[in-house]
């Protein structure tokens, strides 16, 4: 069987496939800094059902490098792993947008050329943590934030590079009586602006654009 582990900046993802590549097990958990504890919990659940089955194992993710080295397991940097998978499964893809908890990546794919990969540093601006912080400020869930944003009527100015500045802007807008729907929409617009200006500037993907990352699973 085949076991894949992705230990990111805020979550641990584990998948198990049969020899025929049928998905047998999947787990997606926030680790709150306790990466090994959460990973062990998933592995114990796998061990209870598929004990003594031979496995191939691979690891990727922002926080997986040290664990992979300690366990002497194969490790691949996450942007390279993502690019390799997309090129195999979606040969018509022209680019990859991936937004994680504390970082974001963009990969420009062109036929017969090496991928151009750009990745920001660990920063809350325009990432999952940024959106979560803004949802907490509005005292709503991520799903509710998404629902509010879909009822917007205009875009309001909100800083996106820094979560502290964004909170100041949002609090000011709320105090001035602007609708929460417009504030919610503007939070997503600020995150999109941060992504496009910091990672996609000067790069124009052609063809299908693949989107991934934990935060995007919550939104329409």
């Amino acid at each position: 069987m085949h076991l894949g582990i992705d230990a990111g900046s805020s979550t641990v993802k584990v998948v198990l496939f049969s020899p025929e590549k049928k998905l047998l097990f999947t787990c997606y958990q926030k680790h709150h800094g306790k990466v090994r504890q959460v990973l062990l919990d998933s592995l114990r659940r796998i061990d209870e059902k598929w004990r003594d089955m031979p496995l191939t194992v691979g690891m990727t993710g922002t926080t997986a490098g040290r664990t992979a080295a300690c366990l002497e397991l194969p490790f691949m940097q996450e942007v390279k792993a993502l690019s390799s998978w997309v090129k195999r499964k979606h040969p018509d893809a022209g680019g990859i947008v991936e937004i994680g908890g504390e970082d974001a990546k963009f990969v420009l794919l062109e036929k017969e050329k090496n991928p151009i990969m750009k990745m920001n540093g660990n920063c809350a601006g325009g990432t999952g943590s940024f959106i979560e912080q803004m949802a907490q400020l509005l005292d709503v869930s991520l799903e509710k934030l998404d629902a509010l944003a879909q009822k917007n009527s205009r875009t309001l100015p909100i800083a996106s590079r820094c979560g502290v500045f964004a909170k100041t802007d949002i609090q000011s807008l709320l105090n001035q009586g602007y609708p929460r729907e417009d504030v919610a929409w503007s939070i997503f617009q600020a995150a999109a602006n941060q992504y496009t200006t910091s990672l996609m500037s000067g790069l124009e993907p052609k063809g299908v654009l693949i989107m991934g990352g934990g935060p995007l699973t919550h939104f329409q």
Side-chain angles (χ1 to χ4, degrees), residues 1-219:
M1 297 193 296
H2 309 286
L3 178 67
I5 300 168
D6 180 352
S9 56
S10 59
T11 58
V12 171
K13 288 77 72 178
V14 178
V15 293
L16 179 69
F17 288 93
S18 71
E20 298 76 29
K21 304 297 177 65
K22 178 183 178 181
L23 183 62
L24 301 175
F25 174 89
T26 180
C27 185
Y28 182 106
Q29 286 182 274
K30 285 203 167 191
H31 56 64
H32 302 290
K34 300 178 180 179
V35 178
R36 296 189 184 186
Q37 181 177 324
V38 172
L39 177 57
L40 280 172
D41 177 65
S42 296
L43 295 180
R44 289 191 181 104
R45 292 164 62 186
I46 292 174
D47 184 60
E48 290 174 359
K49 192 169 183 179
W50 292 282
R51 180 169 296 182
D52 299 327
M53 294 292 291
L55 291 170
T56 66
V57 185
M59 294 192 72
T60 188
T62 308
T63 60
R66 183 174 297 179
T67 302
C70 291
L71 298 176
E72 298 183 351
L73 293 175
F75 173 80
M76 181 180 288
Q77 199 272 344
E78 63 267 24
V79 180
K80 184 178 180 181
L82 178 63
S83 301
S84 298
W85 181 85
V86 169
K87 289 177 72 173
R88 288 199 307 270
K89 296 294 184 179
H90 301 279
D92 58 339
I96 306 169
V97 171
E98 203 271 352
I99 299 177
E102 294 183 1
D103 54 33
K105 306 98 175 171
F106 176 70
V107 183
L108 182 68
L109 300 172
E110 296 180 294
K111 291 183 178 180
E112 300 180 359
K113 292 184 179 181
N114 292 328
I116 298 176
M117 304 180 185
K118 297 185 70 175
M119 179 176 177
N120 66 7
N122 288 345
C123 174
T127 61
S129 295
F130 171 84
I131 296 173
E132 287 182 348
Q133 289 173 18
M134 301 307 108
Q136 292 171 5
L137 185 60
L138 291 178
D139 195 26
V140 296
S141 65
L142 292 175
E143 290 77 11
K144 180 64 174 178
L145 184 71
D146 184 40
L148 284 171
Q150 294 182 49
K151 300 176 182 178
N152 80 92
S153 59
R154 57 184 162 177
T155 302
L156 304 170
I158 294 177
S160 61
R161 184 174 296 276
C162 174
V164 175
F165 294 158
K167 288 181 179 179
T168 301
D169 287 346
I170 291 172
Q171 195 62 62
S172 176
L173 293 171
L174 293 174
N175 291 341
Q176 294 176 61
Y178 284 98
R180 288 158 59 87
E181 292 83 358
D182 291 346
V183 173
W185 166 261
S186 301
I187 288 169
F188 288 112
Q189 185 65 53
N193 290 343
Q194 174 65 14
Y195 184 94
T196 54
T197 56
S198 63
L199 295 178
M200 295 183 69
S201 180
L203 301 177
E204 296 185 10
K206 298 178 181 179
V208 176
L209 192 63
I210 303 295
M211 303 188 74
L216 298 178
T217 63
H218 298 281
F219 312 128

